[in-house]
């Protein structure tokens, strides 16, 4: 920014500017219009059998309902069959060519298979293991006002968060395959781990809604600061200082109370164009990111791939075009890939990329630090 802003000015959001908050309000769509394609009405009203089983298991009940068998199938255009249920229904729509513009909304859960902890899992999540930083409450470590008063706890944690220790997993490469098949309209991620770029998802298809470690700036006046110098100072236990206003410099990871990056606001154009929304590995607890899932048309299918129901998927009955596949995310994504016939392609892509044949370089990343990853997302 060419013009410095005072700390006080930054904390008052101007009209139309979204700020990251911890609210979990998820307004529901007021309209429940039926799909206009009557030939798909039956498919679009199917409840995922696997979701029913997961729900019953959580209640300690056995699966003794009159629901369709998990072995029931829908015929595909090629004459083969795909499983009935959430994945089968979405897979069929994709194979029929009914889906051409997919928006993916993702959180920390897509990176746990890479060995990166999420935030909110009891006992193992990041927020459950912050006592050593002597902070008043877990989220304070990502609160911009707390950082302004005391940046040391975040910088201590940042030593662990900086990219460089983890590799993309099957879920990341599935999303890249969506791009290679010409189906990915955009991916919106809460993660700051850099694994989306590392696996080869192009910058123009990616919105890092909570920022990244690729750049750094003063938290008060926004004056840019060399990212590598900031990293070196933090790794050495020092606080990088802005040469313009003497404020503390931090990586451009979005904290609670900060503005979202300008690129986030592409959603106003992307979501009305979507004909499928995939929601993966997120608690949908952080606003305004959480409400993105409510901005697609009411006739657009929404598929939740997650450990538990979240946001609008906690309500019963589900909206007509909503589907859930609950359980291990990697397993669910692999099942969908197998339905689509992509599994071998994804494995080949992973092998070639991980063998160094396709090391991804993002030309827009002037820091050159584009082959790294970190250990979490900013505030899942």
């Amino acid at each position: 920014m060419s013009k410095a802003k005072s700390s006080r000015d930054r904390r008052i959001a101007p009209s139309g500017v979204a700020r990251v908050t911890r609210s979990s309000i998820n307004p529901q769509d007021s309209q429940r219009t039926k799909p206009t394609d009557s030939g798909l009405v039956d498919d679009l009203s199917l409840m995922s059998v696997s979701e029913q089983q997961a729900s019953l298991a959580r209640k300690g009940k056995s699966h003794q309902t009159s629901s369709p068998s998990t072995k029931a199938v829908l015929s595909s255009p090629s004459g083969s069959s795909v499983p009935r249920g959430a994945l089968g229904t979405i897979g069929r729509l994709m194979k029929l060519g009914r889906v051409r513009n997919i928006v993916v909304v993702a959180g920390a859960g897509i990176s746990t298979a890479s060995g990166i902890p999420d935030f909110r899992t009891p006992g193992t999540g990041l927020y459950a293991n912050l006592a050593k930083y002597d902070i008043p409450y877990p989220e304070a470590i990502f609160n911009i006002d707390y950082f302004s008063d005391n940046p040391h706890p975040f910088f201590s944690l940042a030593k662990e968060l900086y990219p460089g220790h983890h590799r993309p997993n099957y879920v990341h490469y599935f999303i890249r395959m969506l791009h290679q098949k010409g189906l990915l309209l955009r991916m919106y991620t809460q993660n700051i781990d850099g694994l989306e770029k590392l696996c080869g998802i192009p910058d123009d298809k990616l919105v890092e809604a909570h920022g990244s470690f690729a750049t750094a700036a003063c938290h008060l006046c926004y004056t840019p600061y060399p990212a590598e110098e900031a990293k070196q100072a933090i790794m050495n236990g020092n606080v990088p200082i802005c040469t313009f206003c003497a404020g503390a410099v931090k990586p451009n990871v979005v904290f609670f109370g900060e503005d979202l990056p300008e690129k986030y606001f592409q959603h106003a154009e992307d979501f009305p164009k979507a004909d499928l929304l995939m929601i993966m590995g997120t608690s949908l607890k952080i606003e305004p990111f959480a409400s993105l899932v409510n901005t697609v048309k009411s006739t657009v299918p929404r598929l939740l791939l997650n450990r538990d129901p979240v946001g609008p998927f906690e309500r019963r009955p589900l909206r007509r075009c909503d589907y859930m596949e609950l359980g291990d995310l990697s397993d669910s994504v692999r099942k969908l890939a197998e339905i689509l016939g992509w599994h071998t392609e994804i494995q080949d892509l992973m092998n070639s990329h991980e063998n160094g044949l396709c090391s991804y370089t993002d030309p827009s990343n002037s820091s050159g630090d584009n082959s790294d990853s970190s250990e979490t997302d900013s505030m899942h």
Side-chain angles (χ1 to χ4, degrees):
M1 304 283 289
S2 60
K3 206 168 184 180
K5 297 183 180 180
S6 71
S7 175
R8 181 178 178 183
D9 289 341
R10 291 190 72 247
R11 294 167 194 161
I12 302 175
S15 176
V17 175
R19 290 291 178 89
V20 176
T21 70
R22 287 171 294 180
S23 170
S24 58
I25 298 173
N26 291 305
Q28 301 298 308
D29 295 331
S30 58
Q31 297 180 343
R32 292 175 178 262
T33 307
K34 294 184 178 180
T36 56
D37 188 341
S38 59
L40 294 177
V41 168
D42 290 339
D43 287 350
L44 293 179
S45 62
L46 289 173
M47 170 64 75
S48 168
V49 172
S50 58
E51 187 276 327
Q52 291 177 359
Q53 290 175 319
S55 178
L56 290 170
R58 287 194 300 273
K59 297 176 182 178
K61 299 179 181 178
S62 61
H63 183 60
Q64 298 178 340
T65 71
S66 58
S67 301
S69 165
T70 55
K71 294 182 180 179
V73 297
L74 298 168
S75 63
S76 71
S78 64
S80 60
S81 61
V82 296
R84 182 185 296 272
L87 298 183
T89 300
I90 297 301
R92 181 172 184 266
L93 291 175
M94 294 175 68
K95 294 177 77 171
L96 286 171
R98 306 275 181 170
V99 172
R100 299 181 185 277
N101 293 292
I102 299 175
V103 171
V104 175
V105 170
I110 74 168
S111 295
T112 55
S114 296
I116 302 173
D118 63 16
F119 274 73
R120 300 179 186 276
T121 299
T124 61
L126 180 67
Y127 285 154
N129 293 280
L130 292 178
K132 60 184 176 180
Y133 297 111
D134 192 27
I135 52 179
Y137 55 93
E139 291 88 346
I141 207 158
F142 291 114
N143 183 287
I144 194 60
D145 291 326
Y146 185 83
F147 176 88
S148 187
D149 293 335
N150 182 13
H152 295 285
F154 171 74
F155 286 138
S156 296
L157 176 63
K159 294 180 182 181
E160 303 175 36
L161 300 183
Y162 260 103
H165 306 292
H166 300 278
R167 306 293 295 175
N169 63 62
Y170 192 96
V171 179
H172 296 99
Y173 285 102
F174 174 84
I175 299 169
R176 176 175 167 180
M177 187 60 65
L178 289 176
H179 162 64
Q180 292 190 189
K181 298 289 185 180
L183 299 175
L184 182 65
L185 176 60
R186 207 86 61 199
M187 178 184 187
Y188 286 73
T189 180
Q190 293 174 284
N191 299 338
I192 60 173
D193 55 34
L195 296 184
E196 295 92 356
K197 284 186 178 180
L198 187 58
C199 83
I201 297 172
D203 187 64
D204 65 342
K205 292 292 183 179
L206 182 64
V207 176
E208 294 173 309
H210 290 165
S212 75
F213 283 93
T215 58
C218 175
H219 84 287
L220 293 178
C221 71
Y222 302 111
T223 299
Y225 192 93
E228 189 57 34
E229 289 185 24
K231 179 179 179 179
Q232 290 177 358
I234 292 168
M235 290 300 181
N236 291 329
N238 300 318
V239 176
I241 298 299
C242 175
T243 56
F244 185 79
C245 75
V249 169
K250 72 173 184 65
N252 285 328
V253 173
V254 180
F255 279 25
F256 295 118
E258 287 194 300
D259 300 341
L260 293 171
E262 184 177 348
K263 198 173 181 182
Y264 168 84
F265 297 96
Q266 286 185 183
H267 74 81
E269 297 180 2
D270 288 344
F271 282 71
K273 296 178 184 176
D275 47 29
L276 174 62
L277 178 63
M278 288 188 178
I279 305 161
M280 301 181 174
T282 174
S283 64
L284 293 182
K285 294 291 185 184
I286 304 303
E287 294 291 358
F289 189 92
S291 290
L292 283 177
V293 302
N294 295 316
T295 60
V296 294
K297 298 174 182 177
S298 62
T299 55
V300 171
R302 299 188 297 188
L303 173 64
L304 175 69
L305 303 173
N306 216 41
R307 184 180 55 215
D308 302 298
V310 294
F313 294 85
E314 294 179 294
R315 295 186 63 180
R316 293 293 185 276
L318 291 177
R319 194 174 72 173
R320 174 177 288 272
C321 297
D322 283 353
Y323 305 90
M324 288 192 291
E325 185 74 15
L326 302 182
D328 181 84
L329 179 59
S330 295
D331 289 345
S332 297
V333 169
R334 177 168 176 160
K335 289 175 185 176
L336 180 56
E338 289 172 344
I339 290 169
L340 295 169
W342 296 358
H343 176 61
T344 300
E345 284 185 84
I346 294 173
Q347 284 189 314
D348 290 344
L349 176 63
M350 290 180 67
N351 291 338
S352 64
H353 192 275
E354 295 304 315
N355 286 335
L357 299 179
C358 306
S359 43
Y360 177 66
T361 301
D362 177 12
S364 69
N365 185 348
S366 59
S367 71
D369 187 20
N370 47 33
S371 62
D372 290 340
S373 58
S374 84
E375 296 192 349
T376 189
D377 71 16
S378 61
M379 45 204 74
H380 168 67

